[in-house]
Amino acid sequence: MTRSELPSADLDRVADLWGARTPHSKGSVWPARQDLRLEDGLQIDDVDHWVGSACVLCSNGCGCDIAVKDGRMVGVRGRVDDPVNHGRLGPKGLYGSTPWASSPDRLTRPMVRVAGRLVETDWETAMGRVVEVSRRLLEEKGPLSHGFYTSGQLFLEEYYALAVLGKAGLGTPHMDGNTRLCTATAAVAMKESFGSDGQPGSYTDIDSCDAIFLYGHNMAETQTVLWSRVLDRIEGEDPPIVVCVDPRRTPVAEAAERTGGVHLAPYPGTNLALLNGLQRELLQNGWIDEEWVAAHALGLEELRKVVDPYTPEKVAQICGVEADRVRRAAEVFGTTRDVLSTVLQGFYQSHQATAASVAVNNLHLLRGMIGRPGAGVLQMNGQPTAQNNRECGADGDLPAFRNWGNPEHVQQLATLWNVEVQQIPHWAPPTHAMQLFRYAEQGSIGFLWISATNPAVSMPESARIRKVLGGEQCFVVVQDLFLTETAQLADVVLPAAGWGEKTGTFTNVNRTVHLSDQAVAPPGEARSDLEIFQLYAREMGLTDKDGEPLLQWDGPEEVFEAWKECTRGRPCDYTGLTYQRLREGGIPWPASEQHPEGTDRLYTDHVFPTHTEQCETYGHDLATGGGVTEQEHRAIGANGRAFLKGSPYVPAHERPSPEFPLLYSTGRTVYQFHTRTKTGRARSLQQAAPDPWVELSAPDAERLGISEGDVVRVESPRGAIEVRARVGFVREGTVFAPFHYGSWDRDALSTTRQANELTMTVWDPVSKQPCFKTAACRVIRVRAGDGPSTAPTTAASRPVGALSPTRGGAATTSVTVPTPTYRLDPAGRAR
Ligand code: SF4
């Protein structure tokens, strides 16, 4: 492919989500293509300088450079030498990376609540109030009075500082992140199967697989650049077969039909029944590697018993999927040489999330299909730095995948941090977010610090969360870029620096670590989250047992160096990395003396970190969440073998009834990220998806007398929203709503359009991830709309009827460039 074969300028990437194709055949290196966007009117020569980073608008972690002009961030370009994206960027990265930074509504000064209103103040006053409340509660009630709820969007150094502050400084087990809503199941599924968190597969598996199974993962919208990589394989020689498990007819589902695969659209809440059926088919047809399983896995006979009742006909009856489609999907998995599986929220945000996700791992283990190119499992993340939250322990786990139930692991941290071992909470499992908010509701947590996340919009059952945050029973501190819906309810608001305004590292789904250097100064008095945590620790006088300051680091690089020591010898070993090396591009961990270049995929030796002394968890019963004890784990004697674990399907908590006859699911659109803090301030993206909507199937719409664009009221037992209807391609009997929309860009505080008004406070028993996919609801037509819904016409939200296409993104450029050698790419090395 030469430069001239691709359009190079004025590309509307709102209309063209994945850009031009650069087909490649099985086993070849994905060709490079460089995408770029500068503010309107600017040319390359206008840019003062470029600063290395990676995109933080999804979990893909595309390497990029930030364009700086006159002290402002004015655009981005993909890094051609980056192993993640080979130069590409998607619509969110191109349009959404920089405009928010100069938005006039940035927080620039701290705020405190006075007589019910938030008023601006100085840092001394704001932090003084935080410290005063914190000290009083510690004195009166001890560390269990404190809770920390963070994000999937801080930097590694900030999570690590927060983890040390909370565990070694205060001694509270009440720490979690919004990663509980997005990626908790990914971590737990890997722990249950392989003994530890840590992504087994690699993005390079896309380049050499023969089939790709996407389970509850609309990659085409949630990770557009990764989907480009899949599309380029589909358009090349030896294309992979795609199998899609999703109740919506997504672009992934269409690709499944195009490639001779199959689209399975199970009724929401029935994923586990389907997966049990697929496992049974493998076992019944002998599509397993008995020798490999005997040598490298445990639990085959128990699994056989669990899945045996799930015949294709039984699966068809439970899931509403044709039995022959189940057979076909199993045949593809069972008879294809190299299969890549990816899993995301369609599985994770469900009531049997861990069991269903572990079943995906089981399929790979049954075929011995792990640890070689093309045969990977990617238990995906939703957010750019969710992986670091999990690694560092800001989600309550112990840092570097240590086991809170293993005294030796706890002692290692006590030694590293120079604190008494009793100071580190390890007497019980860490508190998960759903429980943390319950404690804040009751008031046993009287001090809740929320950083870089917006639970007033993103947590389930919004009315309840607003009450928790706005009540007198709990003092709430929020640090963020903007006065979000959550910040509006806080007692103290601290202005934070964002991406490009501070330095730090982060790790994507693929275990690839990127360094993001500071490109510009933060606005006004905003400070990095690391500086804010350090200020609090200093003001609180948090010290180690020698009286030395606990967070004594001078800047993020020193934190990174400390973190490296914390990871030494652990599965996520960072000791071979330095800021200097990372400036050359992303490197996947483990990166140590043994693996100086990093590691493309794990478990190439088929030895898993399941030794009792090594594992991150002793495991759980997948049906109940009941824990396995250390003695029980030792007695099992896994010793490097993976676990095959199964569980029977049970119905979801809430099912359709005569009163609420439909099933309501929430999810994402390609143009927005999270609660639109950044993407909602990017004109191209906001215009593409300006308002919320609900998607109905054509048969349901007709039955309810609803036409495209009508205003409808959607009600569940917990609340209601009024939005416009999109008559589209959701499964009949179901309703889909994007979860991004709160009230910050409305004139008045409006809560009638927020998807989570309807969702419920229930969670998966093992990963504790809340369910967003199965709330019963009803839909009532309110009035005719003044035209079609403003929902996007692209991707999974496209309408049944013909409508003007969504377009209007500002000009971007895209050029093919020579493909460099990617050091760890198996295809590149083979050439
Ligand atoms: S795929 Fe994700 S990381 Fe890559 S440019 Fe798009 S939003 Fe950013």
Side-chain angles (χ1 to χ4, degrees), residues 418 541-552:
N418 193 29
L542 301 180
T543 61
D544 66 15
K545 63 186 181 187
D546 294 331
E548 295 297 321
L550 200 59
L551 310 187
Q552 79 279 40

Side-chain angles (χ1 to χ4, degrees), residues 550-776:
L550 200 59
L551 310 187
Q552 79 279 40
W553 307 298
D554 184 13
E557 189 163 3
E558 284 197 9
V559 186
F560 187 75
E561 290 299 313
W563 166 246
K564 283 163 59 178
E565 281 313 304
C566 186
T567 66
R568 188 177 289 281
R570 298 298 301 159
C572 54
D573 195 323
Y574 278 66
T575 52
L577 301 178
T578 62
Y579 269 26
Q580 197 51 41
R581 288 197 67 201
L582 290 171
R583 284 197 174 95
E584 291 160 23
I587 301 174
W589 61 248
S592 57
E593 243 176 60
Q594 296 80 39
H595 309 279
E597 303 290 339
T599 306
D600 189 40
R601 68 178 45 71
L602 303 183
Y603 311 135
T604 51
D605 57 0
H606 302 156
V607 176
F608 301 90
T610 54
H611 294 86
T612 303
E613 294 72 25
Q614 188 186 17
C615 63
E616 191 181 359
T617 178
Y618 300 130
H620 299 84
D621 178 88
L622 298 187
T624 64
V628 175
T629 65
E630 186 260 343
Q631 289 85 351
E632 288 166 338
H633 189 273
R634 196 175 291 284
I636 292 167
N639 298 330
R641 287 174 289 177
F643 289 100
L644 289 162
K645 289 189 173 184
S647 182
Y649 157 79
V650 294
H653 302 79
E654 194 164 89
R655 286 191 285 174
S657 63
E659 204 183 348
F660 297 101
L662 299 170
L663 261 191
Y664 177 83
S665 294
T666 67
R668 292 192 256 171
T669 172
V670 65
Y671 300 112
Q672 301 286 4
F673 186 55
H674 269 232
T675 59
R676 296 180 304 127
T677 313
K678 290 177 176 170
T679 53
R681 290 175 171 88
R683 185 180 49 81
S684 294
L685 298 174
Q686 180 62 10
Q687 281 179 356
D691 287 308
W693 67 91
V694 289
E695 290 169 27
L696 294 162
S697 71
D700 286 330
E702 189 180 348
R703 193 170 42 77
L704 295 165
I706 293 167
S707 302
E708 169 69 37
D710 284 355
V711 176
V712 296
R713 185 172 167 82
V714 188
E715 297 175 342
S716 84
R718 292 154 295 279
I721 53 173
E722 271 190 27
V723 294
R724 296 215 285 183
R726 159 59 38 92
V727 181
F729 289 90
V730 289
R731 192 195 153 109
E732 189 176 350
T734 67
V735 176
F736 173 87
F739 87 96
H740 312 285
Y741 299 87
S743 56
W744 63 261
D745 54 345
R746 282 296 170 106
D747 291 340
L749 191 72
S750 160
T751 56
T752 57
R753 64 185 210 150
Q754 199 167 294
N756 277 316
E757 302 292 342
L758 278 70
T759 50
M760 58 188 159
T761 307
V762 291
W763 55 83
D764 168 53
V766 191
S767 67
K768 320 298 184 194
Q769 184 149 346
C771 305
F772 290 102
K773 303 298 188 196
T774 49

Side-chain angles (χ1 to χ4, degrees), residues 208-293:
S208 48
C209 66
D210 300 300
I212 308 180
F213 277 58
L214 297 102
Y215 302 91
H217 182 195
N218 182 8
M219 187 195 285
E221 292 194 65
T222 56
Q223 288 160 291
T224 51
V225 169
L226 205 58
W227 185 242
S228 299
R229 196 164 185 156
V230 174
L231 289 176
D232 285 346
R233 272 297 318 280
I234 290 173
E235 302 247 330
E237 284 173 33
D238 312 315
I241 298 169
V242 175
V243 174
C244 169
V245 180
D246 198 315
R248 292 167 87 204
R249 190 175 156 77
T250 63
V252 178
E254 288 165 5
E257 287 160 8
R258 279 203 313 279
T259 58
V262 54
H263 174 206
L264 301 163
Y267 200 56
T270 65
N271 293 331
L272 183 57
L274 173 64
L275 267 289
N276 282 349
L278 293 179
Q279 291 172 89
R280 181 185 183 277
E281 284 297 288
L282 255 58
L283 292 164
Q284 289 284 317
N285 289 288
W287 292 327
I288 72 169
D289 186 337
E290 303 242 13
E291 204 178 315
W292 191 95
V293 172

Side-chain angles (χ1 to χ4, degrees), residues 69-85:
K69 179 175 175 51
D70 299 333
R72 286 180 55 241
M73 296 192 283
V74 294
V76 284
R77 70 178 178 200
R79 288 185 71 154
V80 172
D81 58 356
D82 196 277
V84 169
N85 52 321

Side-chain angles (χ1 to χ4, degrees), residues 54-64 84-85 88-94 97 221-227 384 670 673:
C55 176
V56 287
L57 291 172
C58 85
S59 61
N60 209 51
C62 297
C64 67
V84 169
N85 52 321
R88 289 164 187 75
L89 295 173
K92 282 202 292 281
L94 288 164
S97 287
E221 292 194 65
T222 56
Q223 288 160 291
T224 51
V225 169
L226 205 58
W227 185 242
V670 65
F673 186 55

